[in-house]
């Protein structure tokens, strides 16, 4: 499927949110997907994945996760300096700010004339942000790829984001994907996450653990990348979304 790609400045109370919006060519309407990046923001690596998802028949909106400060408009490099800058951006952003930006982007997608169902996904910190997007009743289904900080509340400037404690707020189906060799979310953390999700009453829930997958195994740059697992995970996400 051919695609159109635009940079859209999504309005919000805190200022515009620079976003890349990828739209299938053809007669819609299409489901709208809010796709959160990792800490490196709008890199070509993440945008390649977003294009692959859009090609299955989704409007994919990829906002910057640090759109209001020094990192606005900056795609970070996958190196130590880029990692430090991305982590500093996270540490300087409150949960309230992350949540407010989410509402703004979902409002944008909802108000488009060519969108139907609203969906959410994301990678790493973006997986955690996608989990929080699932609190919004407009989000029909959510896929979180190796979300960091769910088990211990680590997200942004707040001491504890309390995301798992709000799991009962999720009304739509949820798919969570991890690699078995992810040091940021080891086996005991994964067990904690799934246990608390079930305890919160979430029964439309899938947990996929890919054997041998490292953290960020879907990032197509660097030694962690696993192309086979990437294809499997993306196919599972598309099937999950299309089945909803």
């Amino acid at each position: 499927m051919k695609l159109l790609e635009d940079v859209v400045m999504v309005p919000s109370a805190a200022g515009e949110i620079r976003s890349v919006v990828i739209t299938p060519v053809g007669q819609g309407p299409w489901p709208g997907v809010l796709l959160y990046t990792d800490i490196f923001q709008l890199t070509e690596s993440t945008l390649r994945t977003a294009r692959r998802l859009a090609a299955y028949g989704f409007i994919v909106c990829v906002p910057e996760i640090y759109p209001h400060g020094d990192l606005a408009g900056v795609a970070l490099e996958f190196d130590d300096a880029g990692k430090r800058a991305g982590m500093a951006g996270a540490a300087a952003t409150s949960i309230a700010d992350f949540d407010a930006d989410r509402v703004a982007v979902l409002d944008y997608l909802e108000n488009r004339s060519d969108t139907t169902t609203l969906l959410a996904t994301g990678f790493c910190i973006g997986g955690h942000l996608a989990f929080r997007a699932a609190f919004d009743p407009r989000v029909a289904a959510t896929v979180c790829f190796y979300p960091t900080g769910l088990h211990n509340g680590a997200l942004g400037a707040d001491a504890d984001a309390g995301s798992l404690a709000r799991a009962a707020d999720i009304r739509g189906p949820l798919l969570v994907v991890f690699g078995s060799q992810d040091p940021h979310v080891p086996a005991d953390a994964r067990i904690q996450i799934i246990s608390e999700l079930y305890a919160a009453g979430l029964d439309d829930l899938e947990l996929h653990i890919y054997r041998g997958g490292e953290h960020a195994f879907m990032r197509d740059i660097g030694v962690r990348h696993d192309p086979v697992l990437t294809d499997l995970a993306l196919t599972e996400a598309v099937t999950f979304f299309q089945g909803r």
Side-chain angles (χ1 to χ4, degrees):
M1 183 177 291
K2 292 184 178 180
L3 303 170
L4 297 174
E5 188 169 324
D6 297 295
V7 174
V8 174
M9 305 305 290
V10 174
S12 80
E16 293 181 322
I17 302 169
R18 182 175 181 269
S19 306
V20 172
V21 178
I22 306 167
T23 308
V25 173
Q27 188 171 13
W30 316 93
V33 180
L34 165 55
L35 187 153
Y36 282 113
T37 72
D38 55 21
I39 61 171
F40 300 95
Q41 298 219 98
L42 299 179
T43 63
E44 273 300 309
S45 176
T46 296
L47 292 176
R48 282 191 288 271
T49 301
R51 293 172 192 128
R52 289 187 63 185
L53 182 58
Y56 284 94
F58 300 96
I59 295 174
V60 180
C61 180
V62 192
E64 290 185 337
I65 60 174
Y66 313 128
H68 307 304
D70 293 341
L71 294 180
V74 178
L76 297 168
E77 297 292 332
F78 295 121
D79 55 20
D80 289 342
K83 182 178 179 180
R84 286 193 299 271
M87 293 180 69
T93 306
S94 70
I95 302 304
D97 289 340
F98 279 132
D99 288 349
D101 285 349
R102 175 190 73 236
V103 171
V105 177
L106 287 175
D107 287 348
Y108 162 76
L109 280 170
E110 183 181 41
N111 291 328
R112 287 179 61 111
S113 62
D114 54 355
T115 54
T116 55
T117 308
L118 297 185
L119 308 165
T121 191
F123 304 86
C124 190
I125 186 178
H128 193 154
L129 293 173
F131 183 89
R132 295 186 66 85
F135 301 157
D136 192 307
R138 294 175 292 177
V139 174
T142 304
V143 177
C144 303
F145 293 105
Y146 35 86
T148 54
L150 269 183
H151 65 291
N152 60 11
L155 176 69
D158 299 59
D160 185 351
S163 301
L164 268 184
R166 290 188 58 188
D169 293 342
I170 297 175
R171 294 290 178 263
L174 176 67
L175 169 62
V176 185
V177 174
F178 289 114
S180 66
Q181 302 302 312
D182 188 338
H184 300 289
V185 194
D188 58 342
R190 300 193 296 267
I191 292 170
Q192 177 189 345
I193 290 168
I194 198 71
S195 298
E196 293 196 32
L197 292 177
Y198 279 122
L202 273 66
D203 54 6
D204 198 348
L205 169 67
E206 296 182 25
L207 175 65
H208 293 212
I209 301 174
Y210 289 91
R211 185 174 64 182
E214 299 183 49
H215 187 70
F217 68 82
M218 296 179 71
R219 185 193 300 155
D220 65 358
I221 293 175
V223 297
R224 299 182 193 176
H225 179 50
D226 190 314
V228 173
L229 295 186
T230 296
D231 288 347
L232 287 172
L234 188 60
T235 299
E236 290 287 353
V238 169
T239 301
F240 189 79
F241 282 150
Q242 289 178 337
R244 306 298 175 172

